[in-house]
Amino acid sequence: MSHLRPMDPAFPIDRQIELEASPVVLINLFTLDKADEPSFLEVWQDDAAFMKRQPGFISTQLHRALGENPTYLNYAVWESNAHFRAAFIHPEFRAKTSAYPSSAIASPHLFQKVAVADICVA
């Protein structure tokens, strides 16, 4: 990835992957130039196919924001942060990130579900 912009600059993804947690959800917001949208989608698909083959991967989904400018939100569910970390630091994945268009900016962050009585289950 050409550019990473943390959702929380005080706690970027490189610090998050050091923690032990299970399960985890990766939320990644991408912004890019409209002209780069087709190549972005090709590269993302290749990345997602790689991640899908990794141990601990559960699922992923890509969403496009409404409107003219291409903004995408990806979420991926992993059995554990250890599984995500292994995939994220894998040399093959790291090499793939250079294929993203130069305008693409990713803002990845890891989350865990929160239980809220009568609304959400953990």
Side-chain angles (χ1 to χ4, degrees):
M1 179 67 50
S2 306
H3 304 286
L4 285 178
R5 180 182 301 143
M7 284 188 196
D8 178 358
F11 208 75
I13 192 75
D14 289 337
R15 289 187 57 203
Q16 294 166 40
I17 63 172
E18 296 172 1
L19 302 175
E20 296 305 321
S22 296
V24 295
V25 176
L26 170 73
I27 301 291
N28 200 353
L29 184 69
F30 296 94
T31 58
L32 56 134
D33 292 342
K34 190 161 183 63
D36 290 332
E37 197 166 8
S39 61
F40 166 80
L41 290 169
E42 287 179 23
V43 175
W44 184 88
Q45 183 177 8
D46 186 52
D47 276 356
F50 169 80
M51 291 299 196
K52 188 175 178 179
R53 295 189 303 270
Q54 302 312 299
F57 173 87
I58 296 173
S59 66
T60 194
Q61 183 65 55
L62 185 66
H63 301 267
R64 188 187 191 282
L66 298 176
E68 299 285 322
N69 296 322
T71 300
Y72 286 86
L73 178 114
N74 167 236
Y75 66 84
V77 182
W78 290 83
E79 288 179 19
S80 72
N81 202 19
H83 286 106
F84 173 73
R85 177 176 51 246
F88 187 74
I89 66 172
H90 193 287
E92 186 178 344
F93 174 73
R94 291 293 184 157
K96 289 177 179 299
T97 62
S98 65
Y100 277 93
S102 61
S103 71
I105 298 172
S107 298
H109 203 90
L110 292 165
F111 293 83
Q112 284 190 292
K113 289 198 304 184
V114 175
V116 177
D118 301 320
I119 309 268
C120 305
V121 295

